[in-house]
Coordinates of all heavy atoms in Angstrom, one line a residue:
M137 N 107.7 109.6 54.2 CA 108.3 109.7 52.9 C 107.3 109.8 51.8 O 106.3 109.1 51.9 CB 109.2 108.4 52.8 CG 109.8 108.3 51.4 SD 110.8 106.8 51.3 CE 112.3 107.5 50.9
F138 N 107.6 110.6 50.9 CA 106.6 110.8 49.8 C 106.9 109.7 48.7 O 108.0 109.6 48.2 CB 106.8 112.2 49.2 CG 105.9 112.5 48.0 CD1 104.6 112.7 48.2 CD2 106.5 112.6 46.8 CE1 103.7 112.9 47.2 CE2 105.6 112.9 45.7 CZ 104.3 113.1 45.9
D139 N 105.8 109.1 48.3 CA 105.9 108.0 47.3 C 105.2 108.5 46.0 O 104.0 108.6 46.0 CB 105.3 106.7 47.8 CG 105.5 105.5 46.8 OD1 106.3 105.7 45.9 OD2 104.9 104.5 47.0
A140 N 105.9 108.8 45.0 CA 105.3 109.3 43.7 C 105.0 108.2 42.8 O 104.4 108.5 41.7 CB 106.3 110.2 43.0
F141 N 105.2 106.9 43.1 CA 104.9 105.8 42.2 C 103.4 105.6 42.2 O 102.8 105.3 43.3 CB 105.6 104.5 42.6 CG 105.6 103.4 41.7 CD1 106.2 103.5 40.5 CD2 104.8 102.2 42.0 CE1 106.1 102.4 39.6 CE2 104.8 101.2 41.1 CZ 105.4 101.3 39.9
P142 N 102.7 105.7 41.0 CA 101.3 105.7 41.0 C 100.6 104.4 41.1 O 99.4 104.3 41.1 CB 100.9 106.4 39.7 CG 102.1 106.1 38.8 CD 103.3 106.0 39.7
Y143 N 101.4 103.3 41.2 CA 100.8 102.0 41.3 C 101.1 101.3 42.6 O 102.1 101.6 43.3 CB 101.3 101.1 40.1 CG 101.1 101.7 38.8 CD1 102.0 102.4 38.1 CD2 99.8 101.6 38.2 CE1 101.8 103.0 36.9 CE2 99.6 102.1 36.9 CZ 100.5 102.9 36.3 OH 100.3 103.4 35.1
D144 N 100.3 100.3 43.0 CA 100.5 99.6 44.2 C 101.7 98.7 44.1 O 102.4 98.4 45.1 CB 99.3 98.9 44.7 CG 98.1 99.8 45.1 OD1 98.4 100.9 45.5 OD2 96.9 99.4 44.9
E145 N 101.9 98.1 43.0 CA 103.0 97.2 42.7 C 103.5 97.3 41.3 O 102.8 97.8 40.4 CB 102.5 95.7 43.0 CG 101.4 95.3 42.0 CD 100.9 93.9 42.4 OE1 100.9 93.5 43.6 OE2 100.5 93.2 41.4
W146 N 104.6 96.7 41.0 CA 105.2 96.7 39.7 C 104.6 95.6 38.9 O 104.6 94.4 39.4 CB 106.7 96.5 39.8 CG 107.5 96.7 38.5 CD1 107.8 95.7 37.6 CD2 107.9 97.9 38.0 NE1 108.4 96.3 36.6 CE2 108.5 97.6 36.8 CE3 107.9 99.2 38.4 CZ2 109.1 98.6 36.0 CZ3 108.4 100.2 37.6 CH2 109.1 99.8 36.4
S147 N 104.0 95.9 37.8 CA 103.3 94.9 37.0 C 103.7 95.0 35.5 O 104.5 95.9 35.1 CB 101.8 95.0 37.1 OG 101.4 96.3 36.5
E148 N 103.3 94.1 34.7 CA 103.5 94.2 33.2 C 103.0 95.5 32.6 O 103.6 95.9 31.6 CB 102.9 92.9 32.6 CG 103.6 91.6 33.0 CD 105.1 91.6 32.7 OE1 105.5 92.0 31.6 OE2 105.8 91.1 33.5
D149 N 102.0 96.0 33.1 CA 101.4 97.3 32.6 C 102.5 98.4 32.7 O 102.6 99.2 31.8 CB 100.2 97.7 33.3 CG 99.1 96.7 33.2 OD1 99.1 96.0 32.1 OD2 98.2 96.6 34.0
V150 N 103.2 98.4 33.8 CA 104.2 99.4 34.0 C 105.5 99.1 33.2 O 106.1 100.0 32.6 CB 104.5 99.6 35.5 CG1 105.6 100.6 35.7 CG2 103.3 100.0 36.2
A151 N 105.9 97.9 33.2 CA 107.1 97.4 32.6 C 107.2 97.6 31.1 O 108.2 97.8 30.5 CB 107.4 96.0 33.0
E152 N 106.0 97.5 30.4 CA 106.0 97.5 29.0 C 105.7 98.9 28.3 O 105.6 99.0 27.1 CB 105.0 96.5 28.4 CG 105.5 95.1 28.6 CD 104.7 94.1 27.9 OE1 103.9 94.5 26.9 OE2 104.8 92.9 28.1
F153 N 105.7 99.9 29.1 CA 105.4 101.2 28.5 C 106.6 102.1 28.7 O 107.2 102.3 29.7 CB 104.2 101.9 29.2 CG 104.0 103.4 28.7 CD1 103.4 103.6 27.5 CD2 104.5 104.4 29.5 CE1 103.2 104.9 27.1 CE2 104.3 105.7 29.0 CZ 103.7 105.9 27.8
W154 N 107.0 102.7 27.6 CA 108.0 103.8 27.6 C 107.9 104.6 26.3 O 107.1 104.3 25.5 CB 109.4 103.3 27.9 CG 110.0 102.4 26.8 CD1 109.5 101.1 26.4 CD2 111.1 102.6 26.0 NE1 110.3 100.6 25.5 CE2 111.3 101.5 25.2 CE3 112.0 103.6 25.9 CZ2 112.3 101.4 24.3 CZ3 113.0 103.6 25.0 CH2 113.2 102.4 24.2
T155 N 108.6 105.6 26.2 CA 108.4 106.6 25.1 C 108.4 106.0 23.7 O 107.6 106.5 22.9 CB 109.4 107.8 25.3 OG1 109.3 108.3 26.6 CG2 109.1 108.8 24.3
F156 N 109.3 105.1 23.5 CA 109.5 104.6 22.2 C 108.8 103.3 21.9 O 109.1 102.6 20.9 CB 111.0 104.5 21.9 CG 111.7 105.8 22.0 CD1 112.4 106.1 23.2 CD2 111.7 106.7 21.0 CE1 113.1 107.3 23.3 CE2 112.3 108.0 21.2 CZ 113.0 108.2 22.3
G157 N 107.9 102.9 22.7 CA 107.1 101.7 22.4 C 107.3 100.7 23.5 O 108.0 100.9 24.5
G158 N 106.6 99.5 23.3 CA 106.7 98.5 24.3 C 107.9 97.6 24.2 O 108.8 97.9 23.4
E159 N 108.0 96.6 25.0 CA 109.2 95.7 25.0 C 109.3 95.0 23.7 O 108.3 94.4 23.2 CB 109.0 94.7 26.2 CG 110.1 93.7 26.3 CD 109.8 92.7 27.3 OE1 108.9 92.9 28.1 OE2 110.6 91.8 27.5
G160 N 110.5 95.0 23.1 CA 110.7 94.4 21.8 C 110.2 95.1 20.6 O 110.2 94.5 19.5
S161 N 109.8 96.3 20.7 CA 109.2 97.1 19.6 C 110.4 97.5 18.7 O 111.5 97.5 19.0 CB 108.4 98.2 20.1 OG 109.2 99.2 20.7
T162 N 110.0 98.1 17.6 CA 110.9 98.6 16.6 C 111.7 99.8 17.2 O 112.9 99.8 17.0 CB 110.3 99.1 15.3 OG1 109.5 98.0 14.8 CG2 111.2 99.6 14.3
G163 N 111.1 100.6 18.0 CA 111.8 101.7 18.7 C 112.8 101.2 19.6 O 113.9 101.8 19.7
T164 N 112.5 100.1 20.3 CA 113.5 99.6 21.2 C 114.7 99.1 20.5 O 115.9 99.4 20.9 CB 112.9 98.4 22.0 OG1 111.7 98.9 22.7 CG2 113.9 97.8 23.0
W165 N 114.5 98.4 19.4 CA 115.7 97.9 18.6 C 116.5 99.0 18.0 O 117.7 99.0 17.9 CB 115.2 96.9 17.6 CG 114.8 95.6 18.2 CD1 113.5 95.1 18.4 CD2 115.7 94.6 18.9 NE1 113.6 93.9 19.1 CE2 114.9 93.6 19.4 CE3 117.1 94.6 19.1 CZ2 115.4 92.5 20.1 CZ3 117.6 93.5 19.7 CH2 116.8 92.5 20.2
I166 N 115.8 100.1 17.5 CA 116.5 101.1 16.9 C 117.4 101.9 17.9 O 118.5 102.2 17.6 CB 115.5 102.2 16.2 CG1 114.8 101.5 15.0 CG2 116.2 103.5 15.9 CD1 113.7 102.3 14.4
L167 N 116.8 102.1 19.1 CA 117.7 102.8 20.1 C 118.8 101.9 20.6 O 119.9 102.4 20.9 CB 116.8 103.2 21.3 CG 115.9 104.4 21.1 CD1 115.1 104.7 22.3 CD2 116.8 105.6 20.7
T168 N 118.6 100.6 20.6 CA 119.6 99.7 21.0 C 120.8 99.7 20.0 O 122.0 99.8 20.4 CB 119.1 98.2 21.2 OG1 118.1 98.2 22.2 CG2 120.2 97.3 21.6
V169 N 120.4 99.6 18.7 CA 121.4 99.6 17.7 C 122.2 101.0 17.7 O 123.4 101.0 17.5 CB 120.8 99.3 16.3 CG1 121.8 99.6 15.2 CG2 120.4 97.9 16.3
L170 N 121.4 102.1 17.8 CA 122.1 103.4 17.9 C 123.0 103.5 19.0 O 124.1 104.1 18.9 CB 121.0 104.5 17.9 CG 120.3 104.7 16.6 CD1 119.2 105.8 16.8 CD2 121.2 105.2 15.5
G171 N 122.6 103.0 20.2 CA 123.5 103.0 21.4 C 124.8 102.2 21.2 O 125.8 102.7 21.6
I172 N 124.7 101.0 20.6 CA 125.8 100.2 20.4 C 126.7 100.9 19.4 O 128.0 100.9 19.5 CB 125.4 98.8 19.9 CG1 124.8 98.1 21.1 CG2 126.6 98.0 19.4 CD1 124.1 96.7 20.7
A173 N 126.2 101.4 18.3 CA 127.0 102.1 17.3 C 127.7 103.4 17.9 O 128.9 103.6 17.7 CB 126.1 102.6 16.1
A174 N 127.0 104.1 18.7 CA 127.6 105.3 19.4 C 128.8 104.8 20.3 O 129.9 105.5 20.4 CB 126.6 106.0 20.2
M175 N 128.6 103.7 21.0 CA 129.6 103.2 21.9 C 130.9 102.7 21.1 O 132.0 103.0 21.4 CB 129.1 102.0 22.7 CG 130.2 101.3 23.6 SD 129.6 99.8 24.3 CE 129.4 98.8 22.8
V176 N 130.7 102.0 20.0 CA 131.8 101.5 19.1 C 132.5 102.7 18.6 O 133.8 102.7 18.6 CB 131.3 100.6 18.1 CG1 132.3 100.3 17.0 CG2 130.8 99.3 18.7
I177 N 131.8 103.7 18.1 CA 132.4 104.9 17.4 C 133.2 105.7 18.5 O 134.4 106.1 18.2 CB 131.4 105.8 16.7 CG1 130.9 105.1 15.5 CG2 131.9 107.1 16.4 CD1 129.6 105.7 14.9
S178 N 132.7 105.8 19.7 CA 133.4 106.5 20.7 C 134.6 105.8 21.2 O 135.7 106.4 21.4 CB 132.5 106.7 22.0 OG 131.4 107.4 21.6
F179 N 134.5 104.4 21.3 CA 135.7 103.7 21.6 C 136.8 103.8 20.6 O 138.0 104.0 20.9 CB 135.3 102.2 21.8 CG 136.5 101.3 22.3 CD1 137.0 101.5 23.6 CD2 137.0 100.4 21.4 CE1 138.1 100.7 24.0 CE2 138.1 99.6 21.9 CZ 138.6 99.8 23.1
W180 N 136.4 103.7 19.3 CA 137.3 103.8 18.2 C 138.0 105.2 18.2 O 139.3 105.3 18.1 CB 136.6 103.6 16.9 CG 137.6 103.8 15.7 CD1 138.4 102.9 15.2 CD2 137.7 105.0 14.9 NE1 139.1 103.4 14.1 CE2 138.7 104.7 13.9 CE3 137.1 106.2 14.9 CZ2 139.0 105.6 13.0 CZ3 137.4 107.1 13.9 CH2 138.4 106.8 13.0
G181 N 137.3 106.3 18.5 CA 137.8 107.6 18.6 C 138.8 107.7 19.7 O 139.8 108.4 19.6
F182 N 138.4 107.1 20.8 CA 139.3 107.2 22.0 C 140.7 106.5 21.7 O 141.7 107.0 22.0 CB 138.6 106.5 23.2 CG 139.5 106.3 24.4 CD1 139.9 107.3 25.2 CD2 140.0 105.1 24.7 CE1 140.8 107.2 26.3 CE2 140.9 104.9 25.7 CZ 141.2 105.9 26.5
V183 N 140.6 105.3 21.1 CA 141.8 104.6 20.7 C 142.7 105.4 19.8 O 143.9 105.6 19.9 CB 141.5 103.2 20.2 CG1 142.7 102.6 19.5 CG2 140.9 102.3 21.2
Q184 N 142.1 106.1 18.7 CA 142.8 106.9 17.8 C 143.4 108.1 18.5 O 144.6 108.5 18.2 CB 141.8 107.4 16.7 CG 141.3 106.3 15.8 CD 142.5 105.5 15.1 OE1 143.4 106.1 14.5 NE2 142.4 104.2 15.1
L185 N 142.7 108.7 19.4 CA 143.2 109.9 20.1 C 144.4 109.5 20.9 O 145.5 110.2 20.9 CB 142.1 110.5 21.0 CG 142.6 111.6 21.9 CD1 142.8 112.9 21.0 CD2 141.5 112.0 22.9
E186 N 144.3 108.4 21.7 CA 145.4 108.0 22.5 C 146.6 107.6 21.7 O 147.8 107.8 22.1 CB 145.0 106.9 23.5 CG 144.0 107.3 24.5 CD 144.6 108.4 25.5 OE1 145.7 108.2 25.9 OE2 143.9 109.3 25.7
N187 N 146.4 106.9 20.6 CA 147.5 106.5 19.7 C 148.2 107.7 19.2 O 149.5 107.7 19.1 CB 146.9 105.6 18.5 CG 148.0 105.0 17.7 OD1 149.0 104.6 18.2 ND2 147.8 104.9 16.4
A188 N 147.5 108.7 18.8 CA 148.2 110.0 18.3 C 149.0 110.6 19.4 O 150.1 111.1 19.1 CB 147.1 110.9 17.7
K189 N 148.4 110.7 20.6 CA 149.2 111.3 21.7 C 150.5 110.4 22.0 O 151.5 111.0 22.3 CB 148.3 111.3 22.9 CG 147.3 112.4 22.8 CD 146.2 112.5 23.9 CE 146.4 112.0 25.2 NZ 145.3 112.1 26.1
L190 N 150.4 109.1 21.9 CA 151.6 108.3 22.2 C 152.6 108.5 21.1 O 153.8 108.5 21.4 CB 151.2 106.8 22.3 CG 150.4 106.4 23.6 CD1 149.9 105.0 23.5 CD2 151.4 106.5 24.8
R191 N 152.2 108.6 19.9 CA 153.1 108.8 18.8 C 153.9 110.1 18.9 O 155.1 110.2 18.7 CB 152.4 108.7 17.4 CG 152.0 107.3 17.0 CD 151.3 107.3 15.7 NE 150.8 106.0 15.3 CZ 151.4 105.1 14.6 NH1 152.6 105.5 14.1 NH2 150.8 104.0 14.3
R192 N 153.1 111.1 19.3 CA 153.7 112.5 19.5 C 154.7 112.4 20.6 O 155.8 113.0 20.5 CB 152.7 113.5 19.7 CG 151.9 114.0 18.5 CD 151.1 115.3 18.8 NE 150.2 115.2 19.8 CZ 148.9 114.8 19.8 NH1 148.5 114.4 18.6 NH2 148.2 114.7 20.8
Q193 N 154.3 111.8 21.7 CA 155.3 111.7 22.8 C 156.5 110.9 22.5 O 157.6 111.3 22.9 CB 154.6 111.1 24.0 CG 155.4 111.1 25.3 CD 155.8 112.5 25.8 OE1 155.1 113.5 25.5 NE2 156.9 112.6 26.5
A194 N 156.3 109.8 21.8 CA 157.5 109.0 21.4 C 158.4 109.8 20.4 O 159.7 109.7 20.6 CB 157.0 107.7 20.7
E195 N 157.9 110.6 19.6 CA 158.7 111.4 18.7 C 159.4 112.4 19.5 O 160.6 112.7 19.2 CB 157.8 112.0 17.6 CG 158.6 112.8 16.6 CD 159.6 111.9 15.8 OE1 159.4 110.8 15.6 OE2 160.7 112.5 15.6
R196 N 158.8 113.0 20.5 CA 159.5 114.0 21.3 C 160.7 113.3 22.0 O 161.8 113.9 22.1 CB 158.6 114.6 22.3 CG 157.7 115.6 21.7 CD 156.9 116.4 22.7 NE 155.8 117.0 22.1 CZ 154.5 117.0 22.5 NH1 154.2 116.3 23.5 NH2 153.6 117.6 21.9
L197 N 160.4 112.2 22.5 CA 161.5 111.4 23.3 C 162.6 111.0 22.3 O 163.8 111.2 22.7 CB 160.9 110.2 24.0 CG 160.0 110.5 25.2 CD1 159.3 109.2 25.7 CD2 160.8 111.1 26.3
R198 N 162.3 110.6 21.1 CA 163.4 110.2 20.2 C 164.2 111.4 19.8 O 165.4 111.4 19.7 CB 162.7 109.6 18.9 CG 162.4 108.2 19.1 CD 162.1 107.6 17.7 NE 161.2 106.5 17.9 CZ 159.9 106.6 17.7 NH1 159.3 107.7 17.3 NH2 159.1 105.5 18.0
S199 N 163.5 112.6 19.5 CA 164.3 113.8 19.1 C 165.1 114.4 20.2 O 166.1 115.0 20.0 CB 163.3 114.8 18.6 OG 162.5 115.3 19.6
S200 N 164.7 114.1 21.5 CA 165.5 114.7 22.6 C 166.7 113.7 23.0 O 167.5 114.1 23.7 CB 164.6 114.9 23.8 OG 164.3 113.6 24.4
G201 N 166.7 112.5 22.4 CA 167.7 111.6 22.7 C 167.5 110.8 24.0 O 168.3 110.1 24.5
A202 N 166.3 110.9 24.6 CA 165.9 110.2 25.8 C 165.9 108.7 25.6 O 166.0 108.0 26.6 CB 164.7 110.8 26.4
L203 N 165.7 108.2 24.4 CA 165.5 106.8 24.2 C 166.8 106.1 23.7 O 166.8 104.9 23.6 CB 164.4 106.5 23.1 CG 163.0 107.0 23.5 CD1 162.1 106.7 22.3 CD2 162.5 106.3 24.7
S204 N 167.9 106.9 23.6 CA 169.1 106.3 23.2 C 169.9 105.7 24.4 O 169.6 106.1 25.6 CB 170.0 107.3 22.5 OG 170.3 108.4 23.4
R205 N 170.8 104.8 24.2 CA 171.6 104.2 25.2 C 172.6 105.2 25.7 O 173.1 106.0 25.0 CB 172.3 103.0 24.7 CG 171.4 101.8 24.4 CD 172.1 100.7 23.9 NE 172.3 101.0 22.4 CZ 173.0 100.4 21.6 NH1 173.7 99.3 22.0 NH2 173.2 100.8 20.3
P206 N 173.0 105.1 27.0 CA 174.0 106.0 27.5 C 175.3 105.8 26.8 O 175.8 104.7 26.5 CB 174.2 105.6 29.0 CG 173.0 104.7 29.3 CD 172.5 104.2 28.0
G207 N 175.9 107.0 26.4 CA 177.2 106.9 25.7 C 177.1 106.9 24.2 O 178.0 107.1 23.5
A208 N 175.9 106.5 23.7 CA 175.7 106.4 22.3 C 175.2 107.8 21.8 O 174.6 108.6 22.5 CB 174.7 105.4 21.9
S209 N 175.7 108.1 20.5 CA 175.2 109.4 20.0 C 173.8 109.3 19.5 O 173.4 108.3 18.9 CB 176.2 109.9 18.8 OG 176.1 108.9 17.8
P210 N 173.0 110.4 19.7 CA 171.6 110.3 19.2 C 171.5 110.3 17.7 O 172.2 111.0 17.1 CB 171.0 111.5 19.9 CG 172.0 112.4 20.2 CD 173.3 111.6 20.4
T211 N 170.6 109.5 17.2 CA 170.4 109.4 15.8 C 169.3 110.4 15.4 O 168.3 110.4 16.1 CB 170.1 108.0 15.3 OG1 168.9 107.6 16.0 CG2 171.2 107.1 15.6
V212 N 169.4 111.0 14.3 CA 168.4 112.0 13.8 C 167.8 111.6 12.5 O 168.4 110.9 11.7 CB 169.0 113.4 13.7 CG1 167.9 114.4 13.2 CG2 169.5 113.9 15.0

C-alpha cells in the first residue's frame, strides 16, 4: 500500500498548519463564523421555500374544495 503521509507520526507540527493559519488564528475564526453564517442563512432559506410550497398547496386544496366537509358547499 502506498503511504503519502510524509511524517512518521501525527504531531503538533502537522496539526497546527493549514492554509489559513494555525490553530486559533484569526483565519480560523473568520472561516468558522462564515461557515456558521452560511449554515443559518441556508436553513432560513430552506424554511422559507418549504413554507411557500406548503401555502401554495394549501391554497390549491382550498380552491378545489378538498378541505371542506362532505356534504358542505365549498366556500370561495
Side-chain angles (χ1 to χ4, degrees):
M137 173 183 239
F138 179 69
D139 185 12
F141 190 67
Y143 302 98
D144 293 331
E145 63 184 33
W146 190 264
S147 67
E148 294 300 317
D149 297 335
V150 177
E152 289 195 12
F153 175 79
W154 63 296
T155 305
F156 301 100
E159 179 182 354
S161 69
T162 304
T164 302
W165 287 108
I166 290 171
L167 284 181
T168 301
V169 169
L170 288 175
I172 291 171
M175 178 190 63
V176 168
I177 291 168
S178 297
F179 183 70
W180 178 81
F182 171 75
V183 169
Q184 293 300 315
L185 176 69
E186 291 299 317
N187 188 36
K189 288 171 27 179
L190 286 171
R191 286 180 188 263
R192 282 193 305 269
Q193 185 63 27
E195 185 56 38
R196 284 187 196 130
L197 288 171
R198 275 191 211 100
S199 65
S200 72
L203 296 179
S204 62
R205 288 176 284 171
S209 62
T211 58
V212 178

